Amino acid sequence: GLLLALGAVPFAACAFDRDSFKARAEANLAEFNTKRLADSKATLARLDEMIALGIVGVREYGAKHPKYAKLMDAAIADAQAMKGMTDVQIEEKWGEKGTAGDAFGIPLKSLADFSEERAYLELVVGPAHQYIFVKKWESAKKARWLEQARDEAVELLKHLQEVGKN
């Protein structure tokens, strides 16, 4: 019994922190709304923190929903690589019509746009997608990249409303 009790402590301490994730997401959105970044490195660091927090949520969801466990594990495994993808690559793999779930018999197009499964995937995909646009903005300083990051941030906050409903 003691081993089980000790084992539960780290898990409880590492439960998905929705409030912390949401606060970071809202801070990013506020920044993107200004159409400039005072400190893009800080923005990227915040997005990295969101990906780390998101991984915890995605892992929890996979553990509670075995049907989606392999898909969630794939998102976790791909989380760091997503930041180096192009916008097109991340959409082709993890977007609404992406191929990432095909190997597990869960075509991403079969997930409802604002389903709980999609919402959990977005905990990793959303910040990674924003990361891509911030990196593009760093190199080109074009407002449209921050506008696209903003659109992703708005979408992510909508998905976040579905997280933890069940």
Side-chain angles (χ1 to χ4, degrees):
L2 180 61
L3 200 56
L4 284 174
L6 290 174
V9 173
F11 183 77
C14 293
F16 176 61
D17 187 345
R18 188 180 186 285
D19 293 338
S20 187
F21 187 94
K22 185 177 183 193
R24 285 169 175 82
E26 288 172 341
N28 287 341
L29 179 57
E31 223 175 37
F32 298 146
N33 279 333
T34 68
K35 295 187 168 116
R36 60 183 188 80
L37 299 179
D39 183 355
S40 61
K41 299 289 180 243
T43 306
L44 291 170
R46 193 178 317 115
L47 289 165
D48 273 328
E49 291 166 0
M50 289 173 66
I51 291 169
L53 289 167
I55 285 171
V56 174
V58 170
R59 187 172 288 127
E60 285 177 9
Y61 188 81
K64 289 180 190 166
H65 300 85
K67 175 182 177 182
Y68 297 104
K70 287 181 179 168
L71 178 60
M72 298 299 152
D73 288 346
I76 292 167
D78 211 20
Q80 292 308 310
M82 286 181 205
K83 297 186 316 187
M85 292 179 181
T86 65
D87 176 39
V88 171
Q89 288 170 327
I90 201 168
E91 279 295 336
E92 285 176 351
K93 189 164 185 183
W94 291 103
E96 286 80 4
K97 295 178 176 77
T99 59
D102 294 359
F104 315 111
I106 304 171
L108 295 183
K109 66 179 175 256
S110 73
L111 303 179
D113 229 6
F114 286 93
S115 64
E116 193 176 38
E117 303 81 34
R118 166 67 60 196
Y120 275 90
L121 286 174
E122 287 295 327
L123 294 177
V124 174
V125 177
H129 211 159
Q130 292 172 51
Y131 194 100
I132 291 166
F133 290 126
V134 171
K135 291 299 276 182
K136 282 182 152 186
W137 180 84
E138 278 184 333
S139 63
K141 298 288 190 267
K142 289 195 165 115
R144 70 181 166 139
W145 300 127
L146 293 184
E147 289 164 13
Q148 287 192 262
R150 180 198 172 280
D151 292 348
E152 291 297 327
V154 167
E155 185 178 325
L156 177 59
L157 283 164
K158 286 180 189 168
H159 284 292
L160 190 59
Q161 294 171 3
E162 301 303 315
V163 169
K165 280 193 168 178
N166 296 318

